Amino acid sequence: MMSEHANKASAFIRDEGRTDWHDQALWFVRKKRDIQTKKVDEWETLREIASGIKANVLANLDTYLLQFEENALKNGAQVHWAKDAAEHNEIILNILRSKGVKKMVKSKSMLTEECHLNPYLIENGIEVVDTDLGERIVQLRNEPPSHIVLPAIHLKKEDVGETFYQYLHSEKGASDPKYLTEVARKHLREKFLAADAALTGVNFAVADTGGFTVCTNEGNADLGAHLAPIHIASMGIEKLIPKQEHLGVFLRMLARNATGQPITSFSSHFIKPREGQELHVVIVDNKRSEQLGRADFRKSLYCIRCGACLNTCPVYRRSGGHSYSYIIPGPIGSILSPGVDLKKHSAMPFASTLCGSCSDVCPVKIDIHHQLYKWRQIVAEQGDFPAVKKISMKMMGFLFAHPSLYRITGKMGRVAVKIMPRFLLYSKLNAWGIKREVPQAPPQSFREWYLSQEKYKHK
Amino acid sequence: MKVGLFIPCYIDQFYPQVGIATLQLLEKLGCDVGFPTNQTCCGQPMGNSGCEKDSAKTAQLFVENFKDYDYIVGPTASCVGYVKEHYNIIEQTVAVSHVRRHIYDLSEFLLDVLKIEKLDVSFPYKVGLHQSCHGLREMRLGASSELNVTYFSKQRQLLEMVNGLEFIELDRTDECCGFGGTFCVSEEAVSAKMGKDRVADHQRNGAQVITGGDVSCLMHLEGVIRRQGTGIKVLHLAEIFNGATI
Ligand code: SF4
């Protein structure tokens, strides 16, 4: 009985060349990240500090949120609170409608993906254009992003050429990155100029200034926000940091850990609306406060969305982001998603070998693989957990608690491996055997050998 | 010093030679080793599958078997780590905390407790080390490549004591092999692909032998190798330290 993740992953792996390419593309980023982080002598100290700041934020979240609101209002921004995705989307539609907005440009925001904002606005007659290049590519293809920082990492340049040929009328068969970038730039410039509103995400909101920072490599957030008469910023409640001076810690870590750059190309600080512009900040809960209440999983809210845990995850690299059931794939998605919908995302905590690379790579020290282990316990009790598995674990527990039974079963197993005809041993009931040989069965177990030795008989 | 030998279930059943090598090695190094014959498993298979409640009785049996030893040593970091990290599922009696505090993976026991500085063996082959994830990131037997800390690897340090052994550098020093307990069957495709890639890294860099401190990972890699017929040998560290030849 395979989970949905296992099914999709095995479909992905069927094209082994492409899997290798995907794995290597992400490993390349991971290597760049290693080089950059090792250039910072105090890297581990920075992680400690960042983790501490986030702990403080979450322990005093109400205070910081109110402080942020107060300061943002003083700065002339308008602040909205949304308890869930539906409210978030409605608030945004209302802002747009009240101003007669027909066209909106958007820079990258995983939160709006989480809220399914694009389809909602499109249904309501608004043209929404993602302006991050990767986001735009997947948007044209009508696909969700497959990575939180590199949304189109699953696509080769030939795929992009084909997409642009289809939707942007570029030359057929073109795959030169420079040419394709030019095509995209021209297309996006038109969209920027025509937009009546711009939406950005928020990387860090600063409580003591009421301002916020948005990091991009393409400068598309700036272009959008600086051209349009309305700037809407969507942020999850956990995006806060207490003080402006804490920004230095996070800005030094974010891009280094994400893509191996010393800093993102553009870190834009927004504090107040410019003359004649409206600035709206939408603060969204969408089950974050529930997660905050789960002591074992609270730390998952430290996440600054650098994506490093995806790049380093050996399972993600070989199964692709679309094999995950949640909009945020990979290790971090697998500890966030069960909190959103335990039944729907029951397979996620199991889509891991618990190798722990995610926890060591995480700049804010989230104990990701320990949380995966803990979610497994909860899934087995309350989630979508196969009854067969439940029973077999019970039987196994019984077996290992009864030494003589364990010994008989072990012997039967070894004998079976030895005498079973190959076609039976390697049937489709034995998932191990599809691509691997089963261990050769020795004539004696260790214990049998031990007891057969004169020298140990007295022991 | 009374050492209790912990032989996990799959070593007992399928890799007795690893148990024998561990026992002989510890004896050569002067330990008084006992093997409690009623041991079965540490309980990890149930815990990792989400059913750690079902492993409580197994954990209790484990403690019962090992509570009277000064040290408990096993040739597999993953199971040792399970006892250390996850035996909070049973009541923390004196016996339980004694066992949790005195259980060691073989490599760290050799270095940190016995403090050995040389090994009187030779193994004139090109050897690649597969550092198991649980050994590395739970037991901290070495510095993982993600961290910005001074490099060390207890397993490598020991391998460097072996005469004639040529250590092979891998492209990915500590990538997971994909075994992952029940993951190896529930996510068969990813697991097997990871195993294949791990073997390829060793092969590309000229390893004649793959070694490591966890039999579960080695069993997985060996399964891939035997299917492919590439002929690379797989040996546990204990076998090399105990003077195995190929
Ligand atoms: S969990 Fe950690 S490593 Fe993963 S995206 Fe968030 S901050 Fe980055």
Side-chain angles (χ1 to χ4, degrees), chain B residues 6-246:
Chain B
F6 164 36
I7 298 299
C9 52
Y10 54 93
I11 299 185
D12 179 37
Q13 295 299 331
F14 290 107
Y15 294 87
Q17 70 276 19
V18 175
I20 296 170
T22 309
L23 174 62
Q24 291 175 343
L25 177 67
L26 289 171
E27 285 182 340
K28 270 187 220 164
L29 295 169
C31 302
D32 172 13
V33 189
F35 174 73
T37 52
N38 255 348
Q39 58 179 295
T40 58
C41 164
C42 62
Q44 181 168 217
M46 291 81 84
N48 278 4
S49 304
C51 303
E52 65 179 11
K53 287 202 181 110
D54 295 323
S55 80
K57 287 222 168 69
T58 305
Q60 254 139 10
L61 176 69
F62 187 95
V63 173
E64 205 41 53
N65 276 312
F66 286 103
K67 65 180 186 331
D68 296 326
Y69 291 93
D70 300 325
Y71 292 98
I72 300 112
V73 179
T76 181
S78 180
C79 307
V80 167
Y82 190 77
V83 174
K84 249 188 181 350
E85 305 297 325
H86 291 284
Y87 272 22
N88 49 4
I89 50 169
I90 51 176
E91 197 197 324
Q92 297 305 290
T93 59
V94 178
V96 174
S97 37
H98 170 79
V99 166
R100 291 179 76 182
R101 265 187 291 122
H102 293 91
I103 188 163
Y104 283 82
D105 165 70
L106 178 65
S107 306
E108 65 174 352
F109 184 73
L110 296 181
L111 281 176
D112 299 349
V113 180
L114 297 184
K115 305 207 184 297
I116 66 159
E117 282 167 4
K118 61 177 181 45
L119 278 162
D120 250 345
V121 289
S122 95
F123 193 72
Y125 302 100
K126 296 181 176 178
V127 176
L129 171 64
H130 173 69
Q131 310 200 69
S132 71
C133 300
H134 286 176
L136 201 60
R137 301 192 191 88
E138 290 291 344
M139 303 285 294
R140 298 287 175 203
L141 299 179
S144 68
S145 57
E146 297 87 12
L147 299 178
N148 190 352
V149 293
T150 313
Y151 175 80
F152 75 101
S153 159
K154 294 188 179 177
Q155 299 176 334
R156 180 170 179 169
Q157 195 182 333
L158 286 162
L159 281 171
E160 279 166 359
M161 294 179 193
V162 176
N163 297 320
L165 185 146
E166 193 181 325
F167 193 87
I168 293 300
E169 302 291 349
L170 299 167
D171 297 339
R172 302 182 184 184
T173 52
D174 49 23
E175 173 108 322
C176 175
C177 70
F179 172 69
T182 45
F183 182 87
C184 73
V185 288
S186 65
E187 291 262 3
E188 176 276 323
V190 182
S191 172
K193 174 67 179 145
M194 286 169 67
K196 203 173 147 189
D197 291 353
R198 199 68 191 125
V199 169
D201 195 347
H202 282 83
Q203 202 171 13
R204 218 173 20 249
N205 289 290
Q208 294 167 288
V209 176
I210 299 180
T211 190
D214 252 306
V215 175
S216 45
C217 308
L218 297 179
M219 169 170 80
H220 172 60
L221 295 175
E222 191 189 56
V224 172
I225 291 169
R226 279 183 38 230
R227 175 62 58 90
Q228 293 177 338
T230 32
I232 299 179
K233 289 276 175 300
V234 179
L235 285 177
H236 188 276
L237 288 165
E239 295 176 272
I240 296 181
F241 301 157
N242 192 46
T245 49
I246 58 170

Side-chain angles (χ1 to χ4, degrees), chain A residues 350 373 376-378 380-381 385, chain B residues 45-52:
Chain A
F350 294 90
Y373 179 89
R376 289 183 182 187
Q377 311 307 321
I378 297 175
E381 282 196 352
F385 193 73
Chain B
M46 291 81 84
N48 278 4
S49 304
C51 303
E52 65 179 11

Side-chain angles (χ1 to χ4, degrees), chain A residues 192-258:
Chain A
F192 276 123
L193 288 170
D196 320 304
L199 185 142
T200 67
V202 168
N203 287 88
F204 306 99
V206 185
D208 79 342
T209 65
F212 58 89
T213 302
V214 182
C215 304
T216 70
N217 271 324
E218 298 164 19
N220 56 314
D222 310 58
L223 259 183
H226 288 138
L227 282 168
I230 301 169
H231 175 186
I232 305 170
S234 286
M235 62 176 266
I237 53 171
E238 82 286 13
K239 289 285 171 182
L240 277 172
I241 56 170
K243 296 186 170 153
Q244 185 76 11
E245 70 201 51
H246 296 145
L247 256 183
V249 174
F250 293 100
L251 290 183
R252 286 185 78 195
M253 302 192 96
L254 180 63
R256 267 201 178 81
N257 218 48

Side-chain angles (χ1 to χ4, degrees), chain A residues 105-120:
Chain A
V105 285
K106 235 182 93 216
S107 77
K108 228 173 87 54
S109 144
M110 287 312 291
L111 175 60
T112 57
E113 294 290 339
E114 176 188 323
C115 296
H116 303 291
L117 177 70
N118 284 13
Y120 174 81

Side-chain angles (χ1 to χ4, degrees), chain A residues 60 98 130 180 196 221 319 336 417:
Chain A
N60 304 288
S98 71
D130 277 309
L180 293 174
D196 320 304
S319 57
L336 289 171
V417 167

Side-chain angles (χ1 to χ4, degrees), chain A residues 265-281:
Chain A
S265 309
F266 299 86
S267 301
S268 314
H269 308 274
F270 296 96
I271 299 199
K272 45 182 69 168
R274 65 166 189 273
E275 278 275 305
Q277 191 195 31
E278 278 184 21
L279 176 60
H280 297 262
V281 182

Side-chain angles (χ1 to χ4, degrees), chain A residues 283-434:
Chain A
I283 304 175
V284 187
D285 181 342
N286 207 28
K287 300 215 170 178
R288 284 164 178 70
S289 52
E290 256 178 70
Q291 187 82 334
L292 191 63
R294 298 180 180 110
D296 283 345
F297 305 109
R298 177 175 303 149
K299 268 184 136 180
S300 62
L301 297 173
Y302 290 14
C303 179
I304 59 171
R305 302 285 191 269
C306 68
C309 58
L310 280 69
N311 303 339
T312 205
C313 177
V315 176
Y316 172 87
R317 276 189 262 114
R318 289 175 183 83
S319 57
H322 290 150
S323 59
Y324 293 80
S325 61
Y326 189 50
I327 196 72
I328 299 177
I332 178 64
S334 298
I335 56 172
L336 289 171
S337 58
V340 173
D341 185 339
L342 185 66
K343 288 238 148 54
K344 185 164 172 223
H345 305 297
S346 272
M348 290 299 90
F350 294 90
S352 163
T353 62
L354 304 182
C355 74
S357 182
C358 47
S359 305
D360 275 0
V361 92
C362 178
V364 286
K365 291 194 156 192
I366 304 174
D367 53 339
I368 304 177
H369 72 297
H370 290 150
Q371 293 192 28
L372 289 168
Y373 179 89
K374 284 178 187 149
W375 272 123
R376 289 183 182 187
Q377 311 307 321
I378 297 175
V379 169
E381 282 196 352
Q382 309 163 19
D384 212 351
F385 193 73
V388 183
K389 207 166 152 192
K390 204 172 240 174
I391 294 166
S392 66
M393 286 302 140
K394 274 218 157 25
M395 281 166 48
M396 222 172 178
F398 186 78
L399 184 73
F400 286 135
H402 295 82
S404 50
L405 196 60
Y406 154 76
R407 292 195 290 264
I408 295 168
T409 319
K411 198 179 184 74
M412 281 174 9
R414 269 182 295 122
V415 173
V417 167
K418 203 172 281 172
I419 61 171
M420 221 195 275
R422 204 173 159 87
F423 77 90
L424 265 183
L425 188 57
Y426 292 96
S427 73
K428 63 175 188 291
L429 290 173
N430 174 12
W432 173 279
I434 300 174

